[in-house]
């Protein structure tokens, strides 16, 4: 639901269809999973992932703004002044092996995001209070780190915990992190941090499938008994 309207998407045998309040507004060739959508005063932007997971595309009213046949889209579409932007990564080959590089796309321009040299993997990137903020795995540190502008903080995790994924979310002027963790490799749980301070750890077997914030509170939809296999 965006601005009081219900937007939905589905794929046909050959294309992708976008509807508003049950009425088709546009369709395009190519079967994509819609990872995110945002609506401006004049346009609808969609971020679509290829069904065979070989790339992604940013579209405006169904027309391609940016298309990549490799790499991964990261996070959501962001509103930036009168334009939109989003982040993505691409893998390059170097003498040290495959390295992931990170980019910001805005107004037709691709700009590389500078991350610390000791960052091994970035899980999520967002714009927060005008600054680029990301949560990442750092060489030599087992716990995730939250980098917000020039500040870096380590998220406290239980001994032996392995992080499967991390997602950033805004909460007022603060930034939150939701992570899926495991300590035994078979049972998973979610944990929340606000400004790198522990906020809530769900019981083993419960992971967050949906999240929103309201009046300084965090509201979650949980999956239970999530196991591998």
């Amino acid at each position: 639901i965006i601005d009081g309207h219900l937007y939905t998407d589905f794929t046909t045998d050959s294309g992708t269809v976008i509807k508003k309040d049950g009425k088709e507004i546009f369709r395009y060739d190519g079967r994509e999973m819609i990872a995110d959508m945002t609506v401006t005063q004049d346009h609808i932007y969609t971020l679509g992932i290829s069904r065979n997971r070989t790339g992604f595309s940013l579209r405006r009213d169904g027309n391609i703004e940016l298309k990549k046949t490799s790499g991964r889209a990261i996070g959501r579409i962001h509103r930036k002044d009168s334009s939109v932007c989003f982040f993505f990564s691409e893998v390059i080959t170097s003498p040290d092996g495959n390295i992931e590089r990170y980019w910001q796309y805005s107004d037709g321009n691709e700009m590389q995001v500078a991350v610390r040299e000791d960052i091994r993997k970035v899980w999520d990137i967002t714009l927060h209070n005008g600054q680029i903020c990301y949560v990442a795995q750092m060489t030599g540190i087992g716990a995730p780190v939250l980098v917000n502008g020039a500040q870096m903080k380590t998220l406290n995790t239980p001994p032996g915990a392995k992080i499967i994924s991390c997602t950033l979310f805004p909460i007022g002027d603060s930034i939150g992190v939701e992570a899926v963790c495991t300590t035994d490799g078979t049972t998973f749980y979610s944990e929340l941090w606000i400004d790198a301070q522990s906020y809530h750890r769900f019981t083993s077997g419960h992971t967050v499938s949906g999240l929103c914030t309201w009046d300084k509170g965090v509201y979650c939809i949980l999956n239970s008994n999530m196991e591998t296999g």
Side-chain angles (χ1 to χ4, degrees), residues 115-222:
V115 300
R116 295 172 54 108
E117 290 294 328
D118 48 5
I119 293 297
R120 291 168 49 197
K121 178 182 178 63
V122 173
W123 278 296
D124 197 8
I125 311 177
T126 191
L127 284 176
H128 184 66
N129 294 334
Q131 297 189 107
I132 291 178
C133 176
Y134 60 89
V135 59
Q137 185 71 56
M138 186 176 177
T139 301
I141 298 179
V145 294
L146 177 66
V147 180
N148 192 358
Q151 297 183 342
M152 185 182 77
K153 298 179 180 179
T154 302
L155 307 182
N156 292 326
T157 56
K162 179 181 179 181
I163 306 300
I164 306 301
S165 65
C166 287
T167 303
L168 295 166
F169 61 91
I171 176 168
D173 290 331
S174 298
I175 188 73
V177 178
E178 182 270 320
V180 176
C181 316
T182 182
T183 54
D184 60 10
T186 60
T187 305
F188 301 87
Y189 65 91
S190 284
E191 185 163 357
L192 306 177
W193 294 263
I194 305 295
D195 289 334
Q197 300 297 311
S198 182
Y199 181 78
H200 186 78
R201 182 179 301 158
F202 293 97
T203 56
S204 181
H206 293 82
T207 58
V208 172
S209 62
L211 179 152
C212 70
T213 61
W214 180 263
D215 193 25
K216 298 182 179 181
V218 182
Y219 299 84
C220 300
I221 300 173
L222 295 180

Side-chain angles (χ1 to χ4, degrees), residues 46-166:
T46 57
L47 184 58
I49 310 299
S50 169
R51 286 280 174 178
N52 57 11
R53 298 190 179 276
T54 56
F56 57 88
S57 66
L58 176 72
R59 296 173 184 265
R60 184 178 68 178
D61 303 327
N63 301 308
I64 293 175
E65 289 275 298
L66 177 71
K67 186 176 180 66
K68 296 289 183 178
T69 56
S70 62
R72 63 185 177 102
I74 302 175
R76 305 178 64 87
I77 302 173
H78 303 276
R79 299 282 290 273
K80 184 181 179 183
D81 300 324
S82 59
S83 62
V84 299
C85 74
F86 80 105
F87 297 92
F88 65 94
S89 70
E90 291 184 302
V91 176
I92 64 170
T93 301
S94 75
D96 298 324
N98 292 334
I99 299 175
E100 202 169 33
R101 294 292 188 224
Y102 305 95
W103 302 83
Q104 178 184 356
Y105 175 86
S106 179
D107 282 341
N109 299 311
E110 300 176 36
M111 299 160 285
Q112 186 170 353
V113 177
V115 300
R116 295 172 54 108
E117 290 294 328
D118 48 5
I119 293 297
R120 291 168 49 197
K121 178 182 178 63
V122 173
W123 278 296
D124 197 8
I125 311 177
T126 191
L127 284 176
H128 184 66
N129 294 334
Q131 297 189 107
I132 291 178
C133 176
Y134 60 89
V135 59
Q137 185 71 56
M138 186 176 177
T139 301
I141 298 179
V145 294
L146 177 66
V147 180
N148 192 358
Q151 297 183 342
M152 185 182 77
K153 298 179 180 179
T154 302
L155 307 182
N156 292 326
T157 56
K162 179 181 179 181
I163 306 300
I164 306 301
S165 65
C166 287

